[in-house]
């Protein structure tokens, strides 16, 4: 009975021992496999750095480390006790690295890197301390953008046109080439390179295209490390060369900004002329008003010699009319002040847009209308004054006749 009961237990224990030995044997034979070729990524992309065990072994409970060859930052991702150690990760990788946790049991410890930056470029190490297995993956980061060609001027010495090519947003630093229609490299000026705060490069270069060259010119920007090439072609018409030979300058531009500036300048000149005309008319009216005031003063002096009751009443009326005239003068002075304000506004906003110019024209028109109304009122007052003078003259005659009769 004892032998029968011990037999199954021995068999079960033997199976477990053999199973554990097989697992340990597999662990000893498993190797970490990365990538023999560099992984090329574009700035802003999400990429995967491959790393897995062959044969597959469950590594979910093991410690896993992703590091870089650069001591700062070193730790990119650390997995321990079935969870990520966030505090061990360098801040520059925060929220951008992760593992495929569902595939850890199959020995897949590939690293997902999101929103790749130029600074991420380098060699990464995948390491399992328990198995003492290491694998390396090299990451190349690149960025490319299409170039833009523009016509910048004329070279009178060579009877050619000057083209400029610029391309923004490259990494690593690219090279720029000028090619003719046959693919031959043109001799151009030095390439200017600027590196921005985002670590991306901007390159630009100029070339003089002569009549002997073909009309189709290509600007090519390339980066061999990331195997990226961008190019743009431009066609230079024969008219450019013909016009340059005859006059030594580029063909006239039909650019609308130049026409707009010319119209704006003409409009401003017209407004200045209108303002000067209004000022001249206003000054002329002021001289007439002063003459009227002098005439009124002379007339008032004559009335002082008369002591009759009728003359006193007329004097009172004339004084009232004089007050009205003074109010008109003050009103005209106010108009002058407004005109001065308009003129100052015109000087300050010589470079403003058409809307402001139209507003100035409206103000000038209002001033002209107000001036016309003032002129009409002045003429009316002059007529009334002449009438009053005639009445006074008649009253004086009547007074003299009565005096003689008495």
């Amino acid at each position: 009975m004892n032998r029968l009961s011990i037999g199954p237990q021995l068999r079960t224990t033997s199976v477990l021992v053999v199973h554990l030995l097989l697992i340990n044997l597999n662990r000893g034979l498993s190797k970490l496999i990365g990538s023999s070729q560099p992984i090329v990524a574009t700035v802003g992309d999400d990429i995967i750095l491959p790393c897995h065990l062959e044969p597959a072994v469950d590594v979910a409970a093991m410690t896993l480390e992703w590091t870089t060859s650069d001591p700062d930052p070193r730790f990119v991702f650390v997995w321990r006790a079935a969870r990520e150690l966030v505090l061990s990760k360098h801040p520059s990788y925060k929220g951008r690295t992760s593992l495929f946790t569902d595939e850890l049991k199959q020995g897949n410890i590939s690293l997902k890197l999101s929103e790749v930056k130029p600074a991420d470029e380098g060699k990464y190490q995948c390491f399992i301390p328990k198995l003492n297995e290491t694998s390396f993956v090299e990451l190349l980061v690149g960025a490319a953008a299409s170039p833009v060609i523009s016509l910048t001027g004329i070279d009178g010495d060579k009877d050619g046109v000057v083209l400029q090519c610029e391309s923004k947003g490259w990494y690593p630093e690219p090279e720029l080439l000028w090619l003719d229609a046959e693919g031959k490299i043109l001799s151009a000026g030095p390439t200017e390179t600027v590196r921005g705060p985002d670590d991306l490069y901007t390159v630009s270069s100029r070339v003089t295209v002569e009549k002997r060259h073909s009309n189709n010119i290509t600007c090519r920007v390339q980066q061999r490390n990331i195997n990226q090439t961008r190019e743009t072609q431009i066609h230079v018409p024969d008219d450019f060369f013909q016009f340059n030979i005859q006059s030594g300058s580029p063909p006239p531009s039909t650019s609308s900004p130049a026409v707009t500036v010319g119209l704006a300048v003409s409009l401003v000149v017209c407004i200045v002329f209108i303002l000067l005309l209004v000022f001249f008319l206003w000054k002329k009216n002021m001289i007439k008003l002063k003459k009227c005031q002098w005439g009124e003063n002379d007339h008032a002096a004559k009335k002082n010699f008369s002591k009759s009751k009728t003359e006193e009443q007329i004097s009172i009326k004339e004084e009232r009319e004089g007050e009205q005239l003074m109010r008109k003068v003050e009103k005209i002075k106010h108009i002058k002040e407004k005109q001065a304000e308009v003129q100052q506004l015109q000087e300050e906003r010589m470079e403003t847009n058409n809307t402001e110019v139209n507003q100035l024209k409206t103000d000038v028109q209002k001033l002209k209308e107000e001036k016309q109304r003032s002129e009409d009122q002045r003429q009316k007052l002059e007529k009334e004054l002449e009438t009053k003078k005639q009445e006074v003259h008649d009253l004086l005659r009547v007074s003299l006749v009565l005096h003689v009769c008495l």
Side-chain angles (χ1 to χ4, degrees):
M1 290 296 293
N2 292 334
R3 290 179 180 178
L4 291 175
S5 61
I6 293 174
Q9 294 178 356
L10 288 174
R11 287 196 297 270
T12 303
T13 303
S14 299
V15 170
L16 290 174
V17 170
V18 171
H19 182 69
L20 291 174
L21 289 173
L22 289 174
I23 291 176
N24 291 329
L25 181 63
N26 288 334
R27 285 180 178 177
L29 296 177
S30 295
K31 297 293 183 182
L32 268 179
I33 308 299
S35 176
S36 59
Q37 298 295 328
I39 304 299
V40 180
T42 303
V43 173
D45 287 351
D46 297 344
I47 54 96
I48 296 175
L49 301 180
C51 184
H52 66 280
L53 279 171
E54 287 186 3
V57 175
D58 185 0
V59 294
M62 298 183 186
T63 299
L64 311 175
E65 295 179 357
W66 274 94
T67 58
T68 64
S69 56
D70 189 355
D72 185 24
R74 177 166 178 79
F75 287 103
V76 176
F77 191 93
V78 177
W79 178 270
R80 185 176 299 168
R83 64 185 182 88
E84 178 188 1
L85 297 183
V86 180
L87 297 178
S88 300
K89 182 188 296 186
H90 192 274
S92 62
Y93 290 94
K94 185 178 181 180
R96 297 197 300 126
T97 56
S98 61
L99 298 180
F100 299 92
T101 56
D102 295 339
E103 300 181 19
L104 292 178
K105 293 181 179 180
Q106 288 79 37
N108 182 16
I109 56 175
S110 299
L111 180 72
K112 180 179 180 181
L113 179 60
S114 304
E115 299 178 4
V116 174
K117 303 177 182 179
D120 295 337
E121 187 175 73
K123 184 174 289 187
Y124 289 76
Q125 175 181 277
C126 173
F127 179 57
I128 304 178
K130 186 174 182 179
L131 302 180
N132 196 26
E133 284 293 323
T134 302
S135 179
F136 294 94
V137 180
E138 185 177 2
L139 174 63
L140 297 179
V141 180
S146 298
V148 177
I149 302 177
S150 59
L151 176 64
T152 60
I154 296 295
D155 189 338
D157 296 335
K158 298 182 179 180
D159 292 333
V161 295
V162 181
L163 303 178
Q164 176 172 309
C165 178
E166 184 180 65
S167 186
K168 300 179 180 180
W170 280 84
Y171 188 87
E173 180 181 350
E175 60 177 338
L176 188 151
L177 302 173
W178 287 97
L179 308 173
D180 60 12
E182 299 176 356
K184 297 180 180 179
I185 298 177
L186 298 176
S187 178
T191 301
E192 297 181 3
T193 304
V194 178
R195 188 170 186 176
D198 53 359
D199 291 332
L200 300 181
Y201 291 90
T202 297
V203 292
S204 62
S205 175
R206 291 190 179 188
V207 67
T208 299
V209 180
E210 304 175 27
K211 180 61 177 176
R212 60 184 177 85
H213 296 129
S214 59
N215 290 40
N216 294 324
I217 305 298
T218 301
C219 174
R220 176 182 296 170
V221 184
Q222 60 187 19
Q223 221 301 324
R224 300 184 186 278
N225 293 343
I226 60 174
N227 194 25
Q228 292 291 328
T229 300
R230 300 288 188 274
E231 61 182 33
T232 299
Q233 188 178 87
I234 186 173
H235 177 77
V236 182
D238 293 334
D239 296 342
F240 279 87
F241 299 104
Q242 294 173 1
F243 195 91
N244 180 37
I245 294 173
Q246 295 173 2
S247 62
S249 59
S253 174
T254 57
S255 177
S256 58
V259 177
T260 303
V261 171
L263 292 175
V265 172
S266 300
L267 185 59
V268 169
V269 172
C270 292
I271 291 175
V272 173
F273 177 77
I274 292 173
L275 291 174
L276 291 175
L277 181 60
V278 170
F279 178 76
F280 175 77
L281 294 175
W282 170 83
K283 191 172 183 180
K284 185 177 180 181
N285 292 333
M286 287 296 297
I287 293 173
K288 290 182 180 180
L289 287 174
K290 287 182 178 179
K291 289 182 178 179
C292 292
Q293 291 177 359
W294 293 339
E296 290 172 2
N297 292 333
D298 293 339
H299 187 67
K302 292 179 181 179
K303 289 192 297 181
N304 290 334
F305 293 100
S306 175
K307 296 181 181 180
S308 63
K309 189 175 182 179
T310 304
E311 291 178 3
E312 291 178 357
Q313 294 176 352
I314 294 174
S315 177
I316 293 173
K317 291 182 180 180
E318 289 179 347
E319 288 178 357
R320 291 178 180 175
E321 292 174 353
E323 291 176 357
Q324 292 178 355
L325 286 174
M326 290 301 295
R327 285 196 295 270
K328 297 297 181 181
V329 171
E330 291 295 330
K331 189 173 183 180
I332 292 175
K333 289 181 178 179
H334 180 65
I335 293 172
K336 179 182 178 182
E337 293 176 355
K338 282 191 175 182
Q339 289 175 341
E341 293 176 358
V342 171
Q343 183 175 3
Q344 182 180 1
L345 181 62
Q346 184 273 333
E347 292 175 352
E348 292 176 349
R349 297 189 177 182
M350 188 68 70
E351 302 294 333
T352 55
N353 54 28
N354 295 334
T355 303
E356 293 176 339
V357 172
N358 291 334
Q359 184 63 37
L360 285 174
K361 289 175 66 177
T362 303
D363 293 341
V364 171
Q365 184 63 30
K366 290 181 180 180
L367 290 174
K368 288 176 66 176
E369 293 176 357
E370 189 172 357
K371 179 191 70 63
Q372 186 62 39
R373 289 194 295 269
S374 300
E375 178 67 18
D376 295 339
Q377 292 178 0
R378 185 192 63 78
Q379 292 178 357
K380 183 178 179 181
L381 290 173
E382 285 182 352
K383 290 179 181 180
E384 292 178 357
L385 184 59
E386 291 295 331
T387 302
K388 295 298 181 181
K389 287 181 178 180
Q390 186 63 34
E391 291 176 357
V392 170
H393 186 68
D394 294 339
L395 288 173
L396 288 174
R397 287 183 178 179
V398 172
S399 177
L400 291 174
V401 170
L402 291 175
H403 182 70
V404 170
C405 294
L406 293 174

